[in-house]
Amino acid sequence: MDTAIDGILRSVPIGALDLETGGYLPEVVLGYETWGTLNADASNAVLIEHALTGSTHVARGASEEAGWWDSLVGPGATIDTNHYFVVAVNMLGGCYGSTGPSSPAPDGKPWGSRFPFVTIRDSVHAEARLADLLGIRRWHAVLGGSMGGARALEWAATYPERTARCAVISCGPASTAEQIAFTQSQLAAIRLDPAFAGGDYYGGPAPEAGLGIARRIAHITYRSEAELEFRFGRNAQDGEQPFGGRTHAARGRYAVESYLDHQAGKLARRFDANSYIVLAEALMSHDVARGRGSVAEALAGTETEFFLAAVDSDRLYFPEQSRQLARALPDPPEVHIIQTPIGHDGFLTDIHQLDAELVRSFFPLSAPVK
């Protein structure tokens, strides 16, 4: 394929795809971005997997938009693009360049409610086709956090011969009952929005209220109680009075309410509600052992080198879930701990804490960590 400009979204058709639960997509397009240059034997390729509402824009590159892991990827960074060729793919079903519910179906209308159920494993199969088109037979490393970690782990289980190294950050071997419960509440909020129209809202108002509520619920799990208390406490939002209104409608907001409103509005303006459902249900279904026996059996015999990390204050993916994954691996690795009061989102905000270990273990050609 032709040389790409760093950090610019591209798309490529990969053909028809049969899906794990019986669905079928007659033509799939994947959106992706790249950074750096693939070397002659394609041995320097790194795949970075985004989280649930993330995008392909891992690093700024030649664009004017900051990337969500700018501190990790770029010239002279932990994953030094002077030496490594980095690829980020929008997950199948997403809304950042890949075929999803808002994409046209064969009849020319958006898929909407007709879009089939997609799993993490389905997306990995699609990504393997993109790798083929890019001339990449084996990844130097695959890494990701949260849902990106689930995708990275699935790469190691499904294509161990194509995954030399795998970094799973803030994610366990399967979604837990509590994680499923949190997610179900979010999806109910979207589906109960009158504008959702059963998933066929394209051409009319989008279910922004329901998506905003879903984001509020999710964001509480992404942050820790300690961080919310430290930042907001019981403070009132500037210019508002949350106590003392004659009616409920007349009262103002606490600062933490304003914060959640802000997060809800940001996501509702940039993300498709149907894609949120598709990706969230894919993450709910995440279980690397499905159809493979136990987790240990699913990963037995793999020669993939693993790097595991967790956030100490994470209340969505507890560090113990990473330790469970470590114990199931043929050669149990250390679980590195990101120490931050932020909570789950620490895998984004404090990823720099892993710089030295990532360079030592996975990216020896990178510039020395300062």
Side-chain angles (χ1 to χ4, degrees):
M1 302 182 73
D2 57 296
T3 302
I5 300 173
D6 284 2
I8 301 299
L9 182 64
R10 311 173 77 202
S11 62
V12 63
I14 63 166
L17 194 65
D18 290 307
L19 303 174
E20 190 179 357
T21 64
Y24 174 76
L25 288 168
E27 182 58 66
V28 173
V29 171
L30 290 183
Y32 71 101
E33 295 181 37
T34 66
W35 298 260
T37 303
L38 189 65
N39 61 12
D41 62 359
S43 62
N44 69 333
V46 175
L47 177 63
I48 295 182
E49 305 279 37
H50 66 76
L52 177 64
T53 57
S55 70
T56 58
H57 200 58
V58 173
R60 183 184 299 272
S63 77
E64 296 182 358
E65 180 185 356
W68 50 265
W69 253 359
D70 263 329
S71 66
L72 193 72
V73 177
T78 307
I79 305 176
D80 190 344
T81 52
N82 290 322
H83 298 288
Y84 294 100
F85 177 66
V86 176
V87 181
V89 188
N90 185 218
M91 182 168 159
L92 180 65
C95 53
Y96 286 106
S98 291
T99 297
S102 62
S103 304
D107 62 2
K109 299 177 181 178
W111 279 100
S113 62
R114 300 172 295 166
F115 194 78
F117 191 97
V118 169
T119 67
I120 298 292
R121 203 167 294 177
D122 289 325
S123 187
V124 167
H125 286 312
E127 292 161 17
R129 291 197 193 172
L130 174 61
D132 291 340
L133 292 171
L134 292 173
I136 299 166
R137 296 303 306 160
R138 189 170 189 246
W139 296 104
H140 172 84
V142 180
L143 66 159
S146 196
M147 187 183 77
R151 295 163 69 191
L153 181 60
E154 191 60 47
W155 258 98
T158 304
Y159 297 104
E161 74 286 355
R162 302 189 68 172
T163 311
R165 299 165 187 83
C166 176
V168 181
I169 304 169
S170 298
C171 187
S175 292
T176 66
E178 183 175 66
Q179 290 159 2
I180 292 169
F182 280 132
T183 304
Q184 190 270 353
S185 302
Q186 297 166 42
L187 303 190
I190 296 172
R191 289 176 168 134
L192 290 171
D193 186 326
F196 182 63
D200 296 312
Y201 51 82
Y202 302 109
E208 292 186 1
L211 181 57
I213 294 171
R215 182 60 166 185
R216 288 175 176 87
I217 297 169
H219 203 76
I220 294 168
T221 71
Y222 298 159
R223 298 291 171 139
S224 72
E225 185 276 337
E227 196 241 357
L228 294 176
E229 184 64 25
F230 175 79
R231 287 182 65 184
F232 305 108
R234 291 182 50 79
N235 296 328
Q237 177 63 14
D238 291 345
E240 299 187 29
Q241 176 52 263
F243 179 76
R246 184 178 296 272
T247 65
H248 294 286
R251 81 165 182 87
R253 297 171 298 172
Y254 291 97
V256 70
E257 293 180 281
S258 174
Y259 171 68
L260 292 176
D261 289 345
H262 174 68
Q263 296 298 328
K266 281 203 308 182
L267 185 77
R269 288 188 295 271
R270 73 172 177 85
F271 213 83
D272 179 59
N274 273 329
S275 281
Y276 193 98
I277 290 173
V278 169
L279 301 192
E281 291 195 332
L283 186 54
M284 289 169 74
S285 76
H286 165 55
D287 181 359
V288 74
R290 184 174 58 251
R292 296 166 172 157
S294 66
V295 175
E297 289 170 330
L299 298 166
T302 179
E303 295 183 2
T304 300
E305 179 184 347
F306 281 89
F307 181 99
L308 304 184
V311 177
D312 62 353
S313 57
D314 196 335
R315 57 176 171 181
L316 181 60
Y317 287 91
F318 296 104
E320 178 56 26
Q321 292 161 25
S322 296
R323 296 187 185 102
Q324 290 171 357
L325 174 58
R327 291 193 291 270
L329 292 170
D331 183 16
E334 176 186 357
V335 176
H336 302 278
I337 300 297
I338 296 172
Q339 297 180 324
T340 174
I342 284 177
H344 181 65
D345 274 354
F347 84 91
L348 293 170
T349 62
D350 291 86
I351 191 65
H352 61 87
Q353 291 186 27
L354 303 178
D355 285 348
E357 285 299 327
L358 281 170
V359 168
R360 183 182 66 80
S361 302
F362 277 19
F363 306 104
L365 295 179
S366 292
V369 177
K370 298 178 181 178

